[in-house]
Amino acid sequence: MNFPILSTIIFLPFVGALFLFLFSQKDESKSSIYISLFTSIANFLLVLFLWYSFDKNESGFQFIEEAIWINGFIKFKLGIDGISILFIVLTAFITPICIISCINSIKKRLKEFLIAILILETFIIGVFCSLDLIIFYLFFEAGLIPMFLIIGIWGGPRRVYSAYKFFLFTLLGSVLMLAAIIFIYWSVGTTDYTEIYKLKIQKEYQYLLWLAFFSSFAVKTPMWPVHTWLPDAHVEAPTAGSVILAAILLKMAGYGFLRFSLGMFPIASEYFTPLVFVLSIVAIIYTSLVALMQEDMKKLIAYSSIAHMGFVTLGIFTFNKQGIEGSMFQMLSHGLISAALFLCVGVLYDRTGSRMIKSYGGVVNYLPKFSLIFIIFVLGALGLPGTTGFIGEFLVLVGTFKKNYLAAILASTGVVLCAAYMLWMAKRVIFGELNKTISKLKDINYLEGSILLILCLLSIIFGFYPEPIMNTMDLTVNVIIDNHQNELATNLTSNK
Amino acid sequence: MEYAVIFLPLIGSIVTYFAKRFGSLFSQIFSSLMVSCSAIISFVIFYDGVLNNNYGNYIVFEWINSGDFKVNWSINIDPLSSIMIMVVTTVSALVHVYSIGYMSNDPHKPRFMSYLSLFTFSMLCLVVSDNFLQLFFGWEGVGLCSYLLIGFWYKKETANNAAIKAFIVNRVGDFGLAIGIFLIFLNFNSINFQDVFENVPNFSDKKLNIFGGEFNLITSICVFLFIGAMGKSAQFFLHTWLPDAMEGPTPVSALIHAATMVTAGVFLVVKCSPIFEYSTFALNLVATVGIITALFAASVALVQNDIKKIIAYSTCSQLGYMFFAAGVGAYHIAMFHLFTHAFFKALLFLGAGSVIHAFHDEQDISKMGGVWKKIPFTMTLMLIGTLALTGFPFLSGFYSKDAIIEYAFLKNTTMGNYVSSVGIFVAFLTSIYSWRLFFKTFFGKYANKSIPIEKTHESPMIMIIPLIILAVGAIFAGYFFKDLFIGDNFNYWGDTIFFLNYIKLENIPIWVIVITPVLVIISIPISYILFIKDKSILDGIKKSNEPLYNFLLNKWYVDEIYDFIFIKPLKKLGLFFWKRGDQNTIDRFGPDGISKVIKYISNKAVQFQSGYIYDYAFVMLIGLSALITYLILN
């Protein structure tokens, strides 16, 4: 195909943002909503077309685009395979939802906010498409800036503290990754991912390089103990910011682990598996317990996100089919469900201005439709069979069990704890004694309802029939696993 | 037809939930109709199976396909599942109809009916599964519906807490079940029942290294599966949710917490008999837990005063019977007891609902009494239920309960002897507490001060008719089905139940056959004297055994112990991790610490930039001299 569809998908939101910036009048919030919505939906349709024309029987990268940027140094190289396409679909799907959710919740500088979101979309899709390490790094880090602004400008009272914390943490890891990328260029002679993949990185270097990449991805995931920025960032971020952060930004790290850590440093990945397992399990149990005691709904969901991402890292480092597919599924499912939960909290926040659990109670009396949907997402988050949450979690645990009994059993306790904190929250917010502040509230409107309903239906449909997703990533995951095993085998023979 | 039986309740549930505008009458009739149709079809399926041996496995569509982990949505009709379908749909249909009357004053009827139908669907998914994962789906699905229905009256704090407790305790059990499934997949490379069961003999000696010890694989699998069964069937250690679950509406208690959902654990053990048979340890564990639960629950039921809680503990205790039956290898009798129990226990619960209705929502039996003339239908039906439960000769409970005791006796092992003697003793206890409930509710003096006796009233026909049908079942189900289910001449079960060594029920010493009915019959006058005639004897016993009485009244203090060792420490730990871990350690030494250090350093650095020329000149001088020194030394 000659048409550069990937570049189009990446830069279409950017063009939309530019258009907004240049042509939209200052206080015309309506037209800026329409423009951004139009751009993002057009992009989503394009992405769906991309998914449709994606060849599931082809194991390598597809839709490859290549252009020289700096001669002999950086190539602008794009391409997708069975795992990146799914993340692109997720990103393109969540962005319009975020834009719609802004309509009620963003009161000042709406236009600028929409520009930030569209630019963020460009960067995130760029991350999932890029096949050159430098390009990847640029997109990966550039994503920080709009997010930093979203928290810092449109956030809550402690927004500046949270924004800086977010920035400090994520940047700290990234510096090491940049150093590692430069080192790779010097030792291999290229930053083209497919080339590195063929040429292989020497075993001695792999360990340090792996750690450098790990430090960046671990912060973004986030893994224990570098997770503390996430609850603060979520609490202060506006609803749309939280949604993007939870649904997509966190997934960049999981994608990074799968694509780069596993792909470029198979031996080191195997070597450091115990480290990842321990950190993941600590994350699952520790953050679940912390979530149990939270009084702020957003913080609670943020901590539960960390626990869910613990399952993701656990699954990726099992290096087997169920584990990796489970992780992928868990990430996509978390993208839907956590996005929806944050939207739900946003719905309540818009009405009362409080995120505290104790200021609610008996919500079901006045917001029955909202309550039904909220409960469905709570159940999805705790991994009830029939929702997407279950498939991800269960496959990860099956995969982990193959690798290590104890790890799987410990991680499974997280499933019990998750039920505890989620249901306890639901009980205190939705059911129970009627809190007086609730009685004046109106149920969700048409717009809020339809967004939540779509998310809800998707998480149920894919919970019963995950085939379209499984099918798409099937071959790519096989390639990852085969490559990993071949590498380990050759390493073993060379040691002898 | 097989599709219809499963999906009609689902359709009923969805339509009922979203068709609120057609009014509550529509929702009640529609959902009852759907489930009733399903029940009628289930009879057809059952008879078709018995007469024509017409069974089969229908694949609906593929669910998960990840490498060698392949799972389908399926409808598997076999002798075991067809009985379960019949029990579930029949009781469910009757409960649906009953609810029309019972919930007549509730504003949320459509929601209630929808949940009931959804429950029926989940339970059917559970029993018709051909693999462990769909079973797990149904398993959690019924747990969800139980959660929703216990917490149906969401304004009640206690109901909400009970709902959460039920879900979480069940999750602990599910955790065990999930690990059992992982172990099975890891070793058998499949989670289809058929593939697994066929290969069990090849794995019977395989060892498993776990937690540094070496265990038999089959035993480990069985133990983990059984943890799941314990959670769902409220066996000792994981039973605490069941009595609390009585916070839900009474029809729910009858359907979910007596006749169907709680028997899922028994169903699982029976279904997995091809695995359990290869592990003596696991079978003994099942029997032991069954014995403890039966004794525990019966003893607690003796002193409770809440009519529903007594029946709940009775359910717990009867489930204990089913488990120790399975534990001595009498799977078919366990299923038979499950079958008869469904009728009489649903009858008792719905009867209790009728009593509660009569007393305007009073549940305390010490505030009842003397009303048998006012509510004769309810009284008669409760009498039938009580007789059937206690195992009065020729009613349904008699056949199944005695068969368990006899089979255990014939087994002639240590465990078998324990089981049979405990079975006899618990039968006696059952009889005492059941008659206590019956006498205190209907006879003696009227003891309710808040409602005058004239105001108590009989329930409407729509509640009585389902009770009559259940009563017919409670009387005749044992007699008519005993030959089919536990007779030695029929091979009804085919290969769905697996026996390593089957024992025929023959050559039973006459005293074993007679002892239980005799005890049961004697207990009637005993209870009458104790609870109605002469209360002073009972008070005397109570006084002289104060600590024991309190111990029983407080349900062996299990809830308090759990609160002390699990709930409080976990909450404290959560708080500790949050305040000490996240805020005081990670943040303090991480970002906050770094920013503090940087601030400190920059503050110091600022002091250098004083703006005075001589300061800068001085620093330059020091630098210059250091450089020169370095050059000279080189």
Side-chain angles (χ1 to χ4, degrees):
Chain A
M1 194 186 283
N2 296 322
F3 179 65
I5 186 162
L6 290 183
S7 305
T8 317
I9 287 168
I10 293 176
F11 291 107
L12 185 66
F14 188 77
V15 171
L18 213 61
F19 191 76
L20 264 183
F21 180 70
L22 294 176
F23 298 105
S24 176
Q25 296 290 321
K26 237 209 166 152
D27 290 325
E28 286 232 31
S29 56
K30 250 196 182 153
S31 67
S32 38
I33 287 267
Y34 287 140
I35 293 170
S36 53
L37 206 55
F38 174 77
T39 327
S40 59
I41 288 176
N43 209 30
F44 178 56
L45 294 177
L46 259 177
V47 168
L48 280 186
F49 173 73
L50 181 73
W51 193 13
Y52 169 76
S53 47
F54 177 80
D55 184 1
K56 289 168 186 141
N57 300 318
E58 158 81 49
S59 63
F61 289 99
Q62 303 178 28
F63 304 102
I64 292 181
E65 291 169 24
E66 224 175 324
I68 305 284
W69 184 10
I70 300 173
N71 206 358
F73 179 40
I74 305 173
K75 272 187 290 185
F76 187 82
K77 187 168 179 181
L78 305 173
I80 53 167
D81 63 0
I83 53 178
S84 37
I85 176 81
L86 291 171
F87 287 114
I88 296 171
V89 173
L90 181 71
T91 310
F93 170 69
I94 293 289
T95 309
I97 285 182
C98 282
I99 292 171
I100 296 173
S101 81
C102 296
I103 297 175
N104 292 325
S105 60
I106 301 297
K107 302 269 171 1
K108 58 169 187 183
R109 294 172 170 273
L110 182 65
K111 192 179 98 182
E112 285 81 356
F113 188 82
L114 294 171
I115 292 175
I117 286 198
L118 286 177
I119 291 182
L120 194 56
E121 185 184 8
T122 288
F123 291 149
I124 295 170
I125 295 181
V127 165
F128 295 128
C129 290
S130 40
L131 285 183
D132 188 285
L133 288 179
I134 302 279
I135 304 289
F136 168 77
Y137 180 81
L138 287 178
F139 281 128
F140 194 76
E141 294 313 319
L144 273 180
I145 300 161
M147 199 61 219
F148 176 76
L149 295 176
I150 286 175
I151 298 173
I153 296 175
W154 290 275
R158 288 177 75 230
R159 57 178 182 266
V160 177
Y161 171 76
S162 297
Y164 273 103
K165 203 169 174 185
F166 166 75
F167 205 78
L168 252 172
F169 258 115
T170 40
L171 201 66
L172 205 71
S174 312
V175 170
L176 292 172
M177 186 164 81
L178 180 65
I181 291 174
I182 294 168
F183 184 84
I184 289 173
Y185 177 72
W186 288 119
S187 68
V188 187
T190 177
T191 52
D192 184 336
Y193 174 75
T194 44
E195 293 289 314
I196 298 171
Y197 195 74
K198 275 181 219 143
L199 293 170
K200 315 287 182 213
I201 293 172
Q202 276 168 307
K203 199 180 126 197
E204 305 82 80
Y205 299 144
Q206 282 198 10
Y207 302 105
L208 271 179
L209 291 175
W210 186 91
L211 281 174
F213 273 78
F214 175 74
S215 63
S216 172
F217 296 148
V219 170
K220 275 260 168 70
T221 309
M223 292 175 82
W224 186 86
V226 284
H227 63 277
T228 56
W229 62 271
L230 186 73
D232 279 318
H234 269 310
V235 168
E236 300 306 328
T239 305
S242 284
V243 171
I244 291 201
L245 185 58
I248 321 171
L249 275 183
L250 302 188
K251 309 301 174 299
M252 299 197 321
Y255 171 77
F257 275 129
L258 260 176
R259 167 81 70 237
F260 298 103
S261 296
L262 256 60
M264 297 192 302
F265 324 118
I267 297 161
S269 297
E270 185 77 30
Y271 180 80
F272 285 112
T273 300
L275 173 74
V276 177
F277 269 34
V278 168
L279 291 183
S280 305
I281 288 165
V282 170
I284 292 170
I285 296 174
Y286 179 108
T287 50
S288 296
L289 286 172
V290 175
L292 201 59
M293 298 313 293
Q294 294 306 311
E295 289 138 6
D296 182 320
M297 281 190 275
K298 265 191 156 179
K299 245 184 176 161
L300 192 149
I301 300 168
Y303 274 109
S304 93
S305 288
I306 303 170
H308 281 121
M309 294 309 286
F311 280 99
V312 171
T313 43
L314 198 63
I316 290 173
F317 283 84
T318 59
F319 312 117
N320 58 41
K321 185 100 194 219
Q322 286 84 26
I324 292 180
E325 291 201 340
S327 289
M328 281 292 299
F329 211 88
Q330 173 82 344
M331 281 193 264
L332 298 170
S333 142
H334 182 257
L336 294 177
I337 291 172
S338 69
L341 282 171
F342 279 118
L343 285 172
C344 284
V345 176
V347 166
L348 288 177
Y349 184 77
D350 289 344
R351 283 166 174 67
T352 64
S354 170
R355 291 183 310 261
M356 290 297 152
I357 291 175
K358 65 169 184 288
S359 37
Y360 295 94
V363 168
V364 68
N365 292 301
Y366 289 91
L367 294 85
K369 285 179 208 151
F370 168 78
S371 302
L372 171 71
I373 291 176
F374 188 67
I375 290 290
I376 291 176
F377 288 121
V378 162
L379 295 171
L382 60 82
L384 194 84
T387 62
T388 48
F390 170 71
I391 297 178
E393 239 167 47
F394 200 86
L395 284 178
V396 165
L397 288 173
V398 168
T400 313
F401 205 82
K402 275 186 171 171
K403 190 102 178 164
N404 186 325
Y405 292 145
L406 190 63
I409 291 173
L410 287 173
S412 305
T413 58
V415 179
V416 179
L417 289 172
C418 183
Y421 63 73
M422 275 296 173
L423 289 181
W424 198 29
M425 175 188 68
K427 179 211 133 186
R428 286 177 293 171
V429 174
I430 301 289
F431 304 120
E433 284 284 314
L434 186 67
N435 196 318
K436 274 173 201 150
T437 51
I438 306 299
S439 57
K440 286 170 197 150
L441 303 185
K442 281 191 191 131
D443 208 344
I444 39 177
N445 58 34
Y446 188 67
L447 208 60
E448 293 164 331
S450 47
I451 308 177
L452 289 173
L453 196 66
I454 291 171
L455 287 167
C456 180
L457 286 178
L458 281 178
S459 71
I460 291 175
I461 290 170
F462 286 127
F464 280 92
Y465 189 67
E467 195 53 32
I469 293 174
M470 293 300 213
N471 205 352
T472 308
M473 65 183 166
D474 186 59
L475 218 59
T476 311
V477 173
N478 279 346
V479 170
I480 292 176
I481 295 167
D482 288 347
N483 169 59
H484 184 77
Q485 275 162 357
N486 290 340
E487 283 291 306
L488 288 189
T490 46
N491 178 42
L492 216 63
T493 46
S494 68
N495 276 359
K496 278 173 192 169
Chain B
M1 200 162 66
E2 292 73 19
Y3 286 82
V5 81
I6 309 294
F7 289 108
L8 282 180
L10 180 65
I11 295 168
S13 170
I14 294 171
V15 170
T16 307
Y17 197 96
F18 291 104
K20 282 175 191 156
R21 71 180 70 168
F22 296 123
S24 51
L25 192 66
F26 167 79
S27 71
Q28 290 171 324
I29 292 173
F30 185 77
S31 57
S32 306
L33 198 69
M34 284 294 145
V35 178
S36 305
C37 287
S38 176
I40 291 165
I41 298 171
S42 79
F43 287 121
V44 178
I45 291 176
F46 177 72
Y47 281 103
D48 201 27
V50 172
L51 299 177
N52 306 328
N53 212 19
N54 190 0
Y55 298 116
N57 189 14
Y58 307 85
I59 308 279
V60 183
F61 59 86
E62 193 172 54
W63 184 12
I64 299 178
N65 178 1
S66 169
D68 40 10
F69 189 87
K70 288 194 178 68
V71 187
N72 291 319
W73 293 106
S74 57
I75 300 177
N76 182 35
I77 306 287
D78 62 14
L80 195 60
S81 66
S82 65
I83 290 187
M84 288 300 285
I85 296 172
M86 193 167 67
V87 170
V88 171
T89 51
T90 310
V91 177
S92 176
L94 294 173
V95 167
H96 271 80
V97 174
Y98 178 90
S99 303
I100 298 176
Y102 190 84
M103 301 298 281
S104 56
N105 296 324
D106 197 280
H108 299 291
K109 284 171 226 134
R111 189 160 60 94
F112 183 75
M113 302 309 273
S114 170
Y115 288 170
L116 278 186
S117 296
L118 184 66
F119 166 79
T120 313
F121 169 71
S122 314
M123 187 73 199
L124 290 173
C125 280
L126 192 163
V127 299
V128 299
S129 168
D130 77 340
N131 60 64
F132 279 101
L133 203 68
Q134 188 188 333
L135 180 126
F136 193 77
F137 165 77
W139 197 264
E140 292 247 303
V142 291
L144 164 70
C145 297
S146 159
Y147 163 80
L148 292 171
L149 284 164
I150 295 170
F152 181 73
W153 287 316
Y154 51 78
K155 285 177 188 161
K156 258 165 83 182
E157 181 76 13
T158 46
N160 283 318
N161 289 337
I164 292 188
K165 189 171 174 185
F167 197 90
I168 292 170
V169 174
N170 266 303
R171 267 262 154 147
V172 175
D174 296 350
F175 160 75
L177 180 59
I179 290 173
I181 296 174
F182 299 154
L183 267 176
I184 288 170
F185 175 68
L186 191 64
N187 290 286
F188 294 85
N189 234 349
S190 168
I191 51 169
N192 273 356
F193 288 131
Q194 211 186 345
D195 301 343
V196 175
F197 294 160
E198 276 169 5
N199 284 317
V200 172
N202 309 334
F203 283 89
S204 58
D205 294 326
K206 196 171 172 192
K207 293 277 186 281
L208 182 74
N209 282 308
I210 191 167
F211 301 131
E214 204 169 63
F215 298 94
N216 182 284
L217 171 70
I218 299 293
T219 302
S220 318
I221 291 176
C222 290
V223 169
F224 282 118
L225 291 181
F226 183 58
I227 292 175
M230 280 167 72
K232 195 102 305 185
S233 292
Q235 293 298 288
F236 196 64
F237 299 123
L238 296 178
H239 66 278
T240 54
W241 64 273
L242 184 60
D244 288 18
M246 297 302 131
E247 290 289 340
T250 309
V252 173
S253 313
L255 175 62
I256 300 185
H257 306 119
T260 54
M261 184 185 86
V262 289
T263 60
V266 182
F267 171 78
L268 178 70
V269 173
V270 174
K271 179 100 204 172
C272 295
S273 57
I275 312 180
F276 276 84
E277 277 291 88
Y278 284 94
S279 171
T280 324
F281 176 83
L283 283 178
N284 284 339
L285 179 74
V286 173
T288 314
V289 171
I291 287 174
I292 295 173
T293 312
L295 269 173
F296 156 79
S299 70
V300 173
L302 282 175
V303 299
Q304 298 299 313
N305 276 326
D306 185 313
I307 186 168
K308 285 179 72 182
K309 284 207 169 147
I310 298 173
I311 307 178
Y313 277 109
S314 160
T315 307
C316 226
S317 167
Q318 296 301 310
L319 290 165
Y321 263 95
M322 297 173 206
F323 275 112
F324 60 59
V328 294
Y331 306 102
H332 55 316
I333 309 181
M335 280 307 290
F336 185 45
H337 195 55
L338 187 162
F339 177 74
T340 56
H341 176 259
F343 289 103
F344 58 70
K345 194 49 68 65
L347 173 62
L348 278 173
F349 259 121
L350 294 182
S354 180
V355 171
I356 294 167
H357 204 71
F359 280 94
H360 302 272
D361 297 335
E362 179 58 62
Q363 301 197 2
D364 189 340
I365 55 167
S366 62
K367 292 181 184 156
M368 297 177 181
V371 289
W372 64 278
K373 276 186 189 153
K374 290 282 294 180
I375 45 174
F377 283 126
T378 308
M379 192 277 288
T380 320
L381 293 163
M382 284 291 274
L383 178 66
I384 294 169
T386 307
L387 288 171
L389 166 66
T390 55
F392 195 82
F394 313 117
L395 270 71
S396 60
F398 166 74
Y399 293 102
S400 51
K401 205 179 275 185
D402 276 22
I404 294 173
I405 294 166
E406 286 155 15
Y407 193 96
F409 180 81
L410 289 175
K411 187 97 179 173
N412 208 11
T413 56
T414 327
M415 190 48 83
N417 292 336
Y418 271 125
V419 165
S420 53
S421 43
V422 169
I424 294 167
F425 180 62
V426 172
F428 179 65
L429 289 182
T430 306
S431 198
I432 300 273
Y433 69 69
S434 306
W435 288 112
R436 169 174 176 265
L437 182 148
F438 183 75
F439 287 134
K440 285 191 103 169
T441 310
F442 296 105
F443 292 89
K445 279 196 203 104
Y446 186 77
N448 197 323
K449 288 179 187 111
S450 51
I451 310 154
I453 189 163
E454 293 77 29
K455 281 211 166 174
T456 59
H457 59 83
E458 186 60 276
S459 302
M461 264 345 231
I462 197 143
M463 285 166 71
I464 297 293
I465 290 168
L467 285 177
I468 293 172
I469 298 172
L470 284 172
V472 172
I475 298 172
F476 299 110
Y479 180 75
F480 281 116
F481 287 94
K482 71 173 194 302
D483 288 331
L484 182 66
F485 289 169
I486 60 170
D488 294 324
N489 302 325
F490 289 91
N491 184 17
Y492 169 71
W493 300 101
D495 54 0
T496 50
I497 294 182
F498 177 77
F499 299 95
L500 268 185
N501 32 17
Y502 178 75
I503 298 169
K504 285 192 170 181
L505 286 177
E506 53 190 16
N507 301 327
I508 310 159
I510 192 76
W511 65 269
V512 178
I513 300 178
V514 173
I515 185 164
T516 327
V518 168
L519 278 176
V520 164
I521 294 168
I522 293 175
S523 69
I524 304 176
I526 294 180
S527 348
Y528 184 72
I529 293 168
L530 279 179
F531 300 115
I532 297 295
K533 255 282 157 72
D534 192 358
K535 285 185 180 165
S536 59
I537 307 174
L538 203 65
D539 290 338
I541 299 172
K542 236 186 241 178
K543 280 219 179 85
S544 55
N545 294 303
E546 191 79 41
L548 178 68
Y549 177 73
N550 279 331
F551 181 66
L552 292 182
L553 195 65
N554 287 301
K555 311 140 200 167
W556 295 24
Y557 295 103
V558 179
D559 277 326
E560 284 75 9
I561 294 168
Y562 282 178
D563 193 49
F564 183 72
I565 54 175
F566 292 119
I567 299 166
K568 280 189 186 144
L570 279 181
K571 281 189 179 177
K572 271 196 186 140
L573 205 60
L575 215 55
F576 176 81
F577 281 153
W578 178 30
K579 298 278 183 197
R580 296 273 153 174
D582 269 17
Q583 294 183 350
N584 276 1
T585 313
I586 296 174
D587 278 357
R588 193 165 145 214
F589 295 108
D592 296 358
I594 290 170
S595 62
K596 243 181 214 158
V597 170
I598 290 172
K599 229 181 208 169
Y600 178 79
I601 293 172
S602 61
N603 269 336
K604 289 280 161 200
V606 163
Q607 288 171 7
F608 278 113
Q609 301 167 11
S610 55
Y612 297 112
I613 299 288
Y614 52 82
D615 270 359
Y616 295 136
F618 184 64
V619 172
M620 276 164 73
L621 205 65
I622 292 176
L624 207 62
S625 45
L627 194 69
I628 293 167
T629 322
Y630 175 77
L631 287 174
I632 292 170
L633 285 180
N634 265 346

